[in-house]
Amino acid sequence: MAVGHSQIVQADRAGAINGNRDGSMNGTADHAKNAAGHSPAPTLLSRLLSPVGALARRLLGNRRVRHTILALLDIGCAVTAVALALVLRMNGHLPVPMQAGFIAAVPMIALVSAVIFQRVGLYGRVWRYTSLTDMPLLLVAATLSVIGWVTTIALLGSTGWLPASVPIITWFLLFGGLAGIRVARRMASEHLRRRVFNGENGTTTAPPRATIIVGTGDNVDLALRQLAGNPAAGYEAVAILDDTGGHENLRVRGVPVLGGLDSLDAAVQRLVAGGKRPECLLLVDETDRLAGANLVRFVAQAESLGLSVARMPATARPDSKSTKALDLNFIDLAHLLGRPPRTADTGAIAQFVAGQRVMVTGAGGTIGRELVFQIAKGGPSEIVLVDASEFNLYSIDQDVGESFPDVHRIPVLCSIRQRGNVMNVFAKYRPNLVFHAAALKHVPLVETNPCAGVLTNVIGTRNVADAARRYGARAMVQVSTDKAVNPVGVMGGTKRLGELYCQALDLAGQDVPVATRFLTVRFGNVLGSSGSLIPLLQKQLSRRGPLTVTHPEIRRYFMTVHEAVLLILQGAALAMQNNTHHGRIFVLDMGEPIRILDIAERMTRLAGLEPGRDVRIEIIGLRPGEKLYEELFDAKETRLESTLPGIFEAEPAARSLAELNAAFDRIAAAAIADDSVTVRALLPKIVDPSHNAEAAWFSPNMPTQPAVIAKPARPSVADHLAAQANAKAGAEPRRAVA
């Protein structure tokens, strides 16, 4: 599989993130709800203090009482500042005349300060929300207070006890005291709110979601204040990405700046290593670097890292009186699917892989990489990373090492085409579980390189499956595609043969309790995978189009990579746990197929552009090996009711191992000889010996003509639409793509 960018996937995104993505996309109310539980029985001390607390709350609720208390604190601060100034000036040894002079001056200092503090407007502000903008007023109040009582003492002729430097020292102490009282007031208020919303009022709330703030300057500060002032919102800032990239390794309100926009991968890795796995990105300002295609690309990267993305509303302001969740505007590429995200039983997955020696082929690809990270979270004893690409293997090895340092990993550079090497790897490491994700997946490339497609997708799969069987693996999970259903191209045909071979091996061991299980999981297009539709449209959007769509009615099944991998793991775990019937194919529930044209239009609007006006969408015609509609079940498969949530089951017509091995040997010989003509002739006959479809299948210079297919048992609405569309596609002339 081709590699995607570095992916760090968070612990239980299905519950922590997906649970907050409802149709409104405001998404945080559920997170802030109280969890089930009971408060502890009140103690005798708490019962005695309860009336006192009620009286205090009633008194402090009165504005006049609050202002009186604050004024008394300020007056006390003014008097104390003079006393401390004298002590500091005299090194703690105050002569008796100086003590007497100070005591006599206390009423006058208190009176002058009280009048000045009132006149300058200290009590016309809500000091609960003290900020830097209030500091100039405190400077003025401290200055006028010192000048006022010094002038008064001078006019009364009683300055003999007062050293000349004491007013200056007093001014510093008084300003610090006035500011300190107000800062302490705000800190106490925020601390009490956190206690209330963290369950010390007899209830329990869910832990806040670790959040990375993305933005610059004042907007970041505003967002941090907003989150701190709204503990009920359920967010905790753990890092900042500075849009300018100029404040790395500094801190804002105690939160570290971990780099710029290009540092998202590294920032997530650092947080994971520090035990603060982030769950959310919060964009707090509008910039050119986070607009249009750049925004789509950034959101796609965040999605692949398991992060939900939200915007801070432009009208948001600090308001610590609010007890409601923040009304954030979530941005979610999964909404391109037009359906709620699928969830999985992560507990069953963790139990399945815990303590197991696991091998993942194609570990550096989009699916393989996500598989590795999800498996690593389950606590395997060892992960064997197999990939034919040096760079991909190096990348996934480094990423796993940084994110899961306690998981033992073994990177193995090996092509699954090389049978001897594959056998040696299995003999050396003897994995318990094998996830086979290595494949060639791009339809046009495999169509023009059929020999390579056969060697990887057919012979490579046979090599891995035979090795798993020979060296006693507990189970092998074959990652397949809906293009294997009623294939009309080389890529789909080769993946279909891989399915048939794994099915034959699974059936061959059904009477042997310790035999290796071979499970095939089939799903559609992965949203945002490398080289797929979303990255292509992102690239075209960055140039302001045109966006290319092969046909206005072409439809595909889509899943996010996270959905696909979780359901692959869940299907395998539950199939092994329930000892599911041998020889079945597991098909992920991807909802209804989606028009590619709709995806293109939604992405354009997500980028803040209008389809047809700002960006043109161009219809370029179907490509060789491409169908209008993909299907979930083959014409010769029986669709069965599944006991696995989110997963369908199908029972294909079985083929014998002897028959498949003989056919594989013939096509392998042609592929090794680079005889593409023979490969094209053999492939459809091996896939379906009863169907003479080679004329309609493989012609590199002509558009394909998919046949009308028979329907499986219990057809769905999607199946019916697919049959009608394929019939229509087969009757209409198609244009080849240059």
Side-chain angles (χ1 to χ4, degrees):
M1 305 280 287
V3 69
H5 49 71
S6 174
Q7 300 181 5
I8 307 293
V9 185
Q10 63 197 73
D12 184 6
R13 185 179 179 222
I17 294 181
N18 291 339
N20 288 316
R21 291 179 180 166
D22 56 11
S24 67
M25 291 314 295
N26 292 331
T28 58
D30 288 343
H31 184 79
K33 288 182 179 178
N34 291 340
H38 299 281
S39 59
T43 63
L44 176 62
L45 180 61
S46 65
R47 288 197 298 267
L48 292 175
L49 293 179
S50 181
V52 177
L55 178 61
R57 286 192 296 271
R58 184 174 180 180
L59 290 175
L60 292 177
N62 185 287
R63 179 178 175 181
R64 290 184 179 275
V65 172
R66 292 199 308 271
H67 284 183
T68 300
I69 293 174
L70 183 58
L72 291 175
L73 287 174
D74 289 343
I75 293 169
C77 181
V79 174
T80 303
V82 179
L84 286 176
L86 288 170
V87 171
L88 292 173
R89 171 64 180 79
M90 304 304 296
N91 293 322
H93 302 289
L94 272 68
V96 174
M98 183 177 291
Q99 295 180 29
F102 166 69
I103 293 172
V106 164
M108 183 265 300
I109 294 173
L111 178 62
V112 171
S113 296
V115 172
I116 289 176
F117 292 160
Q118 179 67 36
R119 297 294 294 175
V120 298
L122 281 191
Y123 311 116
R125 299 198 176 195
V126 182
W127 290 108
R128 182 178 179 178
Y129 309 126
T130 301
S131 66
L132 289 177
T133 58
D134 299 312
M135 294 302 106
L137 182 62
L138 297 180
L139 285 171
V140 170
T143 302
L144 293 181
S145 172
V146 172
I147 293 174
W149 64 258
V150 169
T151 302
T152 304
I153 289 175
L155 291 176
L156 294 176
S158 57
T159 59
W161 62 273
L162 184 65
S165 60
V166 166
I168 299 175
I169 300 173
T170 300
W171 181 85
F172 283 104
L173 294 174
L174 179 56
F175 172 71
L178 294 176
I181 289 172
R182 284 149 179 82
V183 171
R185 163 75 172 87
R186 176 167 181 171
M187 291 176 63
S189 175
E190 293 178 356
H191 174 70
L192 289 175
R193 284 181 56 79
R194 282 194 295 270
R195 288 183 58 189
V196 169
F197 288 105
N198 285 339
E200 296 185 27
N201 61 342
T203 62
T204 304
T205 59
R209 297 172 65 184
T211 302
I212 299 177
I213 307 295
V214 182
T216 55
D218 293 340
N219 289 324
V220 169
D221 179 68
L222 174 63
L224 293 174
R225 291 169 58 195
Q226 179 79 358
L227 296 184
N230 287 270
Y235 296 91
E236 177 189 8
V238 295
I240 298 167
L241 293 183
D242 182 9
D243 192 12
T244 64
H247 298 95
E248 188 171 0
N249 298 323
L250 301 180
R251 288 178 176 265
V252 179
R253 292 184 176 269
V255 180
V257 180
L258 299 185
L261 297 182
D262 298 332
S263 304
L264 180 57
D265 274 6
V268 172
Q269 291 170 10
R270 286 179 60 179
L271 291 170
V272 169
K276 293 185 177 180
R277 183 181 293 276
E279 300 179 37
C280 181
L281 276 179
L282 182 57
L283 312 181
V284 299
D285 52 12
E286 302 280 352
T287 66
D288 292 338
R289 296 189 66 197
L290 277 180
N294 290 334
L295 174 62
V296 177
R297 187 178 302 108
F298 190 72
V299 173
Q301 183 184 12
E303 289 282 335
S304 71
L305 295 169
L307 305 174
S308 57
V309 183
R311 284 190 183 279
M312 177 72 79
T315 57
R317 291 292 182 270
D319 178 12
S320 60
K321 290 185 178 181
S322 174
T323 60
K324 298 181 179 180
L326 291 178
D327 188 17
L328 301 181
N329 304 317
F330 275 82
I331 305 170
D332 192 350
L333 282 188
H335 275 217
L336 296 174
L337 303 180
R339 60 166 174 79
R342 300 286 183 259
T343 59
D345 184 355
T346 54
I349 294 171
Q351 186 177 4
F352 179 51
V353 302
Q356 301 293 310
R357 183 181 294 110
V358 184
M359 176 182 289
V360 180
T361 69
T366 303
I367 296 296
R369 179 178 291 269
E370 180 88 358
L371 273 168
V372 168
F373 278 101
Q374 293 293 340
I375 291 167
K377 289 187 304 186
S381 63
E382 186 173 88
I383 301 182
V384 182
L385 311 172
V386 178
D387 205 291
S389 167
E390 179 188 25
F391 175 77
N392 293 357
L393 185 62
Y394 170 80
S395 176
I396 183 62
D397 181 50
Q398 292 295 306
D399 290 345
V400 175
E402 292 175 359
S403 301
F404 302 95
D406 296 332
V407 174
H408 185 229
R409 66 198 189 280
I410 302 173
V412 178
L413 194 61
C414 175
S415 169
I416 61 171
R417 298 180 182 182
Q418 299 167 336
R419 185 176 182 86
N421 289 353
V422 171
M423 292 295 173
N424 290 337
V425 170
F426 273 78
K428 183 175 182 179
Y429 299 111
R430 295 184 179 270
N432 306 117
L433 302 174
V434 179
F435 292 88
H436 178 46
L440 299 182
K441 66 175 186 176
H442 295 289
V443 171
L445 286 178
V446 178
E447 193 69 35
T448 55
N449 296 272
C451 296
V454 166
L455 290 175
T456 297
N457 295 352
V458 181
I459 307 307
T461 297
R462 179 171 71 169
N463 293 339
V464 174
D466 287 349
R469 186 188 194 193
R470 176 181 299 181
Y471 293 102
R474 180 181 167 205
M476 170 182 158
V477 181
Q478 153 82 345
V479 176
S480 190
T481 171
D482 57 4
K483 291 175 176 59
V485 179
N486 300 309
V488 297
V490 176
M491 190 273 191
T494 57
K495 293 297 289 183
R496 178 61 172 164
L497 291 183
E499 289 186 355
L500 290 172
Y501 193 78
C502 289
Q503 180 200 23
L505 284 177
D506 197 38
L507 288 170
Q510 62 184 338
D511 296 326
V512 182
V514 295
T516 302
R517 288 300 309 269
F518 292 88
L519 310 172
T520 296
V521 181
R522 181 190 293 163
F523 56 89
N525 295 267
V526 175
L527 196 70
S529 64
S530 61
S532 65
L533 174 69
I534 301 303
L536 173 62
L537 294 180
Q538 289 173 356
K539 183 177 180 180
Q540 293 172 341
L541 271 174
S542 67
R543 301 193 301 258
R544 287 297 183 102
L547 306 186
T548 56
V549 177
T550 57
H551 191 285
E553 292 302 321
I554 191 169
R555 295 174 185 262
R556 291 290 180 266
Y557 290 98
F558 282 98
M559 299 191 84
T560 66
V561 64
H562 189 76
E563 286 179 312
V565 165
L566 281 180
L567 289 176
I568 288 171
L569 291 168
Q570 174 177 279
L574 296 181
M576 294 295 293
Q577 177 182 325
N578 300 334
N579 195 24
T580 305
H581 291 288
H582 288 247
R584 291 187 176 179
I585 304 291
F586 300 96
V587 183
L588 304 189
D589 179 7
M590 295 169 283
E592 295 298 321
I594 305 170
R595 284 202 316 164
I596 302 298
L597 186 60
D598 292 339
I599 295 283
E601 291 176 347
R602 291 172 191 172
M603 282 194 64
T604 303
R605 293 190 178 96
L606 179 62
L609 304 172
E610 185 62 30
R613 185 188 68 189
D614 302 317
V615 176
R616 183 168 57 91
I617 298 178
E618 180 181 344
I619 306 299
I620 62 174
L622 291 173
R623 302 171 297 181
E626 190 171 54
K627 295 190 293 185
L628 267 182
Y629 291 74
E630 300 292 0
E631 302 142 281
L632 299 180
F633 299 94
D634 191 87
K636 295 187 177 181
E637 291 176 344
T638 302
R639 177 174 173 176
L640 305 169
E641 293 296 329
S642 176
T643 59
L644 309 179
I647 299 172
F648 304 129
E649 293 181 32
E651 194 166 35
R655 306 274 288 279
S656 71
L657 270 178
E659 175 192 354
L660 289 173
N661 274 317
F664 283 15
D665 289 343
R666 292 196 304 273
I667 200 169
I672 292 171
D674 199 25
D675 185 355
S676 60
V677 174
T678 301
V679 167
R680 291 182 187 280
L682 287 174
L683 191 52
K685 295 178 181 179
I686 300 174
V687 170
D688 186 0
S690 66
H691 182 54
N692 185 20
E694 60 267 31
W697 260 42
F698 310 116
S699 180
N701 299 317
M702 295 177 61
T704 59
Q705 298 291 331
V708 180
I709 62 170
K711 297 317 302 166
R714 298 172 138 186
S716 65
V717 174
D719 294 328
H720 180 66
L721 291 174
Q724 289 183 330
N726 282 325
K728 180 180 178 182
E732 293 178 352
R734 306 182 188 178
R735 294 183 284 130
V737 178

